[in-house]
Amino acid sequence: MADALRAYGWIVAMWVRSTMVYRASFAMLTVGQFVVTGFDFVAIFIMFVHTDRLGGFDLPEVAFLYATSGVAMGTADLLIGSIERLGRRIRDGSLDVMLIRPVPTFVQAAADDFALRRLGRIIQSALVFGWAMVAVDVHWTWDRIVLLPVMLVSGTVIFASIFVLGAAFQFAATDAAEVANAFTYGGNFLTQYPPTIFAKGLLRAATFGVPLAFVNWLPALHILGHPDPLGLPKAFQFASPLAALALALVAALAWRAGLRSYRSTGS
C-alpha cells in the first residue's frame, strides 16, 4: 500500500511539473473550470429570485447541499478521475504498456494525465461552502460538527468508487465512459438539490441502488434539521462511512475482475 501511494505521488508530481511549464495555460484552464462549474450555482440562485424555498430548503441550505456535493465530487475527480479514460487505452492498446511496468495498473490509470486544473471546481465549491456555513441557520451540536467532515470524506470515497466501477465496466464494454459519467457527474448534479423535490422511487434508487443519497442528502438532513422524505431510521443519516466502505469494496472487486478478464490487443 505504501509503495502504491509512493508511486501515485511520483506520477502525480511528474504531471504537475509538466503542467507548470505552461503556467498561463494552467491558470486559464483552472479559471475556466471555476467559471463553468459556477454557472450551476448561478442557476440555483436565479431560482431563488422567484421563490423563497425549494422543496422546503432555503437558499443557504441548498447552497450547503450544492457545495458539499461539489467538494466531494471535485476531490474524487482530481484524485482519480483520470481512470475514466481507461476505455480509450483499451481501444488503442496503450493499456498493455501499463501492464508490463513495475507499478500497479490501477495506480497508473488513476494518476495518468493528472489534471491540476480540476482544482477550479473544488475552489468554487469551497467558496460556496464557506458562504453556506456562515448563512445557514443550524444549531451546531457535537454530532453535527463531527458528521460534517465525515460526510465530505465519505462522499469523496463514494464518487471515487463510482469512477472505478465505471472504469471496470469498460473492460467489458470497451467504450462506456458516458455511462459512468451519468452516475458521477449526473450524481453530482442530482445531489446539489434537495431530496424532497424528487420522486420517492428515485430517492430509493439513490439510497439502496447507487448510494448517492449517502454523499450528502442523508447526513445533511440531520445537520440541517429536516425530516427524511422516505422515513428511514435515523441511523441511515450516520451511515455514510459504511456505505462508502461497502461501495469501495465492490469497486475494488469489480476492478480486479475486469483486469483479470482483459485480453491484450497484442501491441
Side-chain angles (χ1 to χ4, degrees):
M1 184 66 177
D3 291 340
L5 290 175
R6 192 178 302 112
Y8 177 86
W10 287 341
I11 297 172
V12 167
M14 178 191 70
W15 282 108
V16 170
R17 282 198 301 272
S18 67
T19 299
M20 288 304 153
V21 173
Y22 305 98
R23 295 176 187 271
S25 175
F26 163 70
M28 287 188 288
L29 290 171
T30 303
V31 171
Q33 189 155 78
F34 180 98
V35 172
V36 169
T37 55
F39 283 144
D40 291 339
F41 187 68
V42 171
I44 292 173
F45 186 82
I46 291 174
M47 289 183 194
F48 278 91
V49 173
H50 303 284
T51 182
D52 294 331
R53 304 185 77 83
L54 181 65
F57 288 62
D58 59 22
L59 177 58
E61 291 173 334
V62 176
F64 180 82
L65 292 175
Y66 169 90
T68 51
S69 176
V71 169
M73 172 61 189
T75 306
D77 191 25
L78 175 69
L79 296 176
I80 206 171
S82 298
I83 205 168
E84 67 180 357
R85 298 190 182 91
L86 187 74
R88 186 188 64 188
R89 287 197 167 276
I90 292 174
R91 292 194 303 276
D92 64 18
S94 57
L95 180 63
D96 294 3
V97 178
M98 291 185 173
L99 295 175
I100 62 175
R101 290 172 179 163
V103 177
T105 306
F106 176 79
V107 171
Q108 296 181 67
D112 182 45
D113 197 16
F114 183 86
L116 195 60
R117 65 178 180 277
R118 291 169 180 160
L119 281 173
R121 175 194 294 269
I122 300 175
I123 294 171
Q124 186 270 331
S125 298
L127 290 176
V128 176
F129 180 74
W131 175 77
M133 291 295 291
V134 173
V136 76
D137 184 18
V138 171
H139 175 57
W140 287 105
T141 55
W142 69 268
D143 55 333
R144 288 187 169 100
I145 294 173
V146 171
L147 189 57
L148 185 61
V150 170
M151 174 180 65
L152 293 175
V153 173
S154 300
T156 301
V157 174
I158 289 172
F159 276 126
S161 299
I162 296 173
F163 270 116
V164 176
L165 282 170
F169 181 62
Q170 294 186 62
F171 281 111
T174 305
D175 186 10
E178 296 306 322
V179 174
N181 289 345
F183 293 98
T184 50
Y185 300 103
N188 177 40
F189 184 79
L190 188 75
T191 51
Q192 290 174 353
Y193 292 90
T196 47
I197 67 173
F198 298 106
K200 290 188 176 180
L202 179 60
L203 297 182
R204 292 191 183 94
T207 304
F208 301 106
V210 181
L212 292 167
F214 293 93
V215 169
N216 64 350
W217 277 350
L218 288 169
L221 290 175
H222 177 73
I223 293 174
L224 300 177
H226 282 272
D228 185 347
L230 291 181
L232 297 172
K234 190 73 173 178
F236 275 71
Q237 297 175 7
F238 298 89
S240 291
L242 294 178
L245 178 61
L247 190 62
L249 290 175
V250 171
L253 292 174
W255 172 266
R256 189 178 181 86
L259 191 60
R260 284 185 171 180
S261 68
Y262 174 68
R263 296 293 178 266
S264 169
T265 59
S267 60

